[in-house]
Every structure is written in structure tokens, then in C-alpha cells.
Amino acid sequence: MRKLTVFLFSLLFLFTGCSNGDWEVTIKTTPFYKEGVAAPFAVQIKENGKLAKQLKVHATFEMSNMDHGKIEVDLHEKENGVYEGNVQLPMEGDWEALLVIKKGNDKVEKLLKMHVKKETAVAKIGKEKITMNDVRFYQALSKIEIAIQKERAQATYKGAALNEQLAYWDRREQYAHRLDQALSHLVELQVMALLAEEKGHVVTKQEITKTIAALRRQYERYEVVQQVIDTYGEKKFWEDYSHYSKLRLLVSDVYNDLAGAVRKANPTVNDNEIRYLAQKQYNELFISQINSLQIDLYIQGQTEGRLPH
């Protein structure tokens, strides 16, 4: 049945392709599979060797060797000769897309074949990926930091003041476990770490080792922290923290550069004002960077897009 479908597609192209032009279609963006996510699909279309503009393009997707029905999507002109749309595919594997291309009264059909891969990222900054493993690590780290703050509050406050502090940290814990909050934090780290590397900053293994050693000593004082790490997996936790630490150190380099420049320009200003001015410049720099990068979100129920800022 599958071969018959392909054969009919071929006949359809031969007998209903009414255009006299020489058409060339190239896949520019192959869609991916991720449950609940619509992936971008883009093609470049040329007529007689020239980029074809102002076309109507419709794509019908079918699996090559399995019957998962048809998925249809209109492609819209993104730029001269490039047409794009979002398609939500039910699984990875070999797919075919039958393109119906219309130019005025002329129509041509092209059958494209592609291999669709599963996407593991929940976000991309350029070529850098943020995965659900990164999100889960950040959530575990947030749980640790909040547990420490709760324990410190219990040692410092009593009565109503203690209840207020604990309620505050409960709210922070709920917020820290939201996917959008975790992604916002991780995107910021990756964006500013990329900027640090562009500026020539490098983090050595010795710096990471030193940071981890200091954190281990701090964590050893809290039983609740060790419980969180044991649940996460101690070896994996410190491996993941090594990558996270590199990003944090790079981001610190960017901030320290700004703080140093602010201090040099304002030698009589106190430390609080220096921190305020440096943070303001950091926020402005972050917004500039995030607007200059391609940042894609692959969140269930949402097509690609930018994080709010």
C-alpha cells in the first residue's frame, strides 16, 4: 500500500504539474520530533535557477514505511525563495512531504524525503542546547539552596518571624520548580557565558575544582543537602555541577568586568552604588545579547519562540 501511495504521488506530479518552469526544491530546515511540540520545516524554492517569490505552498506529511495518517501544513514565505511552517509529527523516523506549489494558475508538485530525529533539547541558544537534565539539575540545586536558607532561618528566628521566613522560602521553592523560571535562569547563564567566551574569558579545570571543593565543604554541614544529592545521584550531581560551575564562573567574569569599569569611572562612589550601576549595565547587556541571538524554545504545547525578558 505504501509503494502504491508513492507511485500515485509520482503520477500526480507527472500529470498535474502544469508549470512549464524548471523547479528546484531544497530542504533548509528538517523538522524534528518532540512530543507535543510543533517543529519548524523550511524549504528553498527556485524556478529556472532563480529564487521563487510570492508562491502558495502546501505540504502533506506521511511516514515512509508506516501509516500514521496525513499531516498538512501551509508554508509561508519567510524570505525570498524560502518558505516555512511548523509541523507536529507523532514520531521520529523516515518521512515524506508532498509539496503543492502554486504560482498564479500554474501548479507543480514535489515529493521530498527526510529523516526526522528526536529532539532532546527544551531550548537552544545558537548551537548550544539546554536539556531537561539541565532543568532537573537546576531544580535540585535550587532545592538545596532553599533548604539551607530554611535551616538558617530556624536557627535565627522564632515564632511569627520564623513562620514568615519559612513561608517565604516555601513560595521560592514552588517558583524555582517552574519550568519557565528554570529555563529563564539557564538561558541567561548560557547567553552571558557565550558573551564571556567571545570576550576571551576562559575557565580552567583548576578553577572548577576549587569551586566544587569549597561547595562540598559548605554542603557537608547540612544533612538535608546530602539527602537531596543522594536522591539525585552523588556522582551525577557533581558532574552536572562541573558544567554549571563553568557557566557561572564565565558569567561572573562578565559582571566583574562591568563592575571594574564602573569603579574606574566613579572612584568616589560607594560599593552599594557600584553594585547597582554594574547590575544595571549587566541587565542592559543581557537584553542586548538575547535580542541578537537565535533562541528557540521547544516546550510542549508551544512552537519555537523567545523567552520573555
Side-chain angles (χ1 to χ4, degrees), residues 77-108:
E77 192 168 8
K78 183 178 180 181
E79 56 188 72
N80 292 343
V82 176
Y83 297 81
E84 185 176 80
N86 292 315
V87 58
Q88 185 173 321
L89 301 176
M91 65 182 298
E92 59 186 320
D94 293 324
W95 286 81
E96 298 170 353
L98 178 65
L99 264 58
V100 177
I101 304 167
K102 293 182 179 179
K103 180 182 180 182
N105 294 325
D106 292 339
K107 181 176 75 172
V108 67

Side-chain angles (χ1 to χ4, degrees), residues 249-295:
L249 289 168
L250 285 169
V251 172
S252 293
D253 287 339
V254 173
Y255 176 84
N256 291 336
D257 285 350
L258 294 173
V262 168
R263 188 177 297 278
K264 185 176 180 180
N266 304 274
T268 61
V269 172
N270 63 42
D271 289 343
N272 286 337
E273 186 69 13
I274 293 293
R275 284 192 291 270
Y276 170 77
L277 293 173
Q279 187 62 50
K280 182 180 179 182
Q281 289 189 17
Y282 174 91
N283 293 341
E284 293 171 351
L285 185 58
F286 170 63
I287 291 173
S288 174
Q289 283 299 110
I290 206 171
N291 285 330
S292 69
L293 295 170
Q294 176 68 32
I295 301 177

Side-chain angles (χ1 to χ4, degrees), residues 14-73:
L14 288 173
F15 293 109
T16 67
C18 302
S19 173
N20 294 321
D22 180 17
W23 293 86
E24 178 185 349
V25 180
T26 305
I27 297 175
K28 300 293 288 184
T29 304
T30 301
F32 56 78
Y33 161 69
K34 190 173 184 67
E35 185 178 357
V37 176
F41 170 65
V43 296
Q44 183 185 73
I45 302 176
K46 292 182 178 181
E47 182 186 13
N48 299 322
K50 296 181 179 180
L51 295 174
K53 306 175 186 178
Q54 298 179 341
L55 304 176
K56 291 184 178 180
V57 184
H58 184 81
T60 301
F61 287 82
E62 284 190 277
M63 285 207 80
S64 299
N65 300 310
M66 298 178 68
D67 185 7
H68 279 274
K70 297 180 180 180
I71 301 169
E72 300 190 18
V73 60

Side-chain angles (χ1 to χ4, degrees), residues 11-270:
L11 287 180
L12 199 60
F13 169 70
L14 288 173
F15 293 109
T16 67
C18 302
S19 173
N20 294 321
D22 180 17
W23 293 86
E24 178 185 349
V25 180
T26 305
I27 297 175
K28 300 293 288 184
T29 304
T30 301
F32 56 78
Y33 161 69
K34 190 173 184 67
E35 185 178 357
V37 176
F41 170 65
V43 296
Q44 183 185 73
I45 302 176
K46 292 182 178 181
E47 182 186 13
N48 299 322
K50 296 181 179 180
L51 295 174
K53 306 175 186 178
Q54 298 179 341
L55 304 176
K56 291 184 178 180
V57 184
H58 184 81
T60 301
F61 287 82
E62 284 190 277
M63 285 207 80
S64 299
N65 300 310
M66 298 178 68
D67 185 7
H68 279 274
K70 297 180 180 180
I71 301 169
E72 300 190 18
V73 60
D74 288 322
L75 306 185
H76 302 283
E77 192 168 8
K78 183 178 180 181
E79 56 188 72
N80 292 343
V82 176
Y83 297 81
E84 185 176 80
N86 292 315
V87 58
Q88 185 173 321
L89 301 176
M91 65 182 298
E92 59 186 320
D94 293 324
W95 286 81
E96 298 170 353
L98 178 65
L99 264 58
V100 177
I101 304 167
K102 293 182 179 179
K103 180 182 180 182
N105 294 325
D106 292 339
K107 181 176 75 172
V108 67
E109 298 181 354
K110 290 285 187 176
L111 184 64
L112 305 176
K113 297 186 178 184
M114 67 202 77
H115 182 73
V116 173
K117 297 180 180 179
K118 185 175 182 178
E119 179 57 74
T120 59
V122 291
K124 281 185 181 178
I125 299 93
K127 295 181 179 180
E128 300 294 331
K129 291 186 177 184
I130 296 174
T131 67
M132 277 305 299
N133 181 76
D134 298 320
V135 170
R136 293 189 186 100
F137 171 77
Y138 171 72
Q139 290 172 338
L141 192 63
S142 297
K143 186 174 183 178
I144 286 172
E145 296 302 323
I146 291 169
I148 290 174
Q149 293 300 329
K150 284 183 176 181
E151 192 162 322
R152 288 175 177 172
Q154 289 171 335
T156 306
Y157 300 95
K158 293 182 180 180
L162 174 59
N163 291 335
E164 184 178 341
Q165 285 291 316
L166 294 178
Y168 168 77
W169 289 112
D170 283 340
R171 292 193 298 271
R172 286 295 301 271
E173 187 169 15
Q174 292 177 356
Y175 179 68
H177 277 72
R178 286 171 44 181
L179 177 59
D180 60 342
Q181 195 280 332
L183 270 180
S184 293
H185 174 76
L186 294 170
V187 165
E188 178 184 342
L189 277 184
Q190 189 64 70
V191 165
M192 300 308 280
L194 287 171
L195 176 62
E197 290 176 333
E198 289 176 9
K199 291 180 175 294
H201 289 290
V202 176
V203 173
T204 66
K205 290 183 179 179
Q206 290 78 10
E207 289 176 291
I208 294 174
T209 300
K210 183 179 179 181
T211 300
I212 290 176
L215 195 65
R216 279 182 180 272
R217 288 193 296 270
Q218 178 188 349
Y219 283 179
E220 284 172 358
R221 300 198 296 266
Y222 301 94
E223 183 178 347
V224 65
V225 170
Q226 194 56 50
Q227 291 173 356
V228 175
I229 293 175
D230 288 344
T231 300
Y232 188 88
E234 183 164 1
K235 181 180 179 182
K236 180 171 175 52
F237 179 87
W238 292 112
E239 286 175 349
D240 289 347
Y241 190 85
S242 177
H243 172 68
Y244 183 81
S245 176
K246 177 183 177 181
L247 298 180
R248 286 291 300 269
L249 289 168
L250 285 169
V251 172
S252 293
D253 287 339
V254 173
Y255 176 84
N256 291 336
D257 285 350
L258 294 173
V262 168
R263 188 177 297 278
K264 185 176 180 180
N266 304 274
T268 61
V269 172
N270 63 42

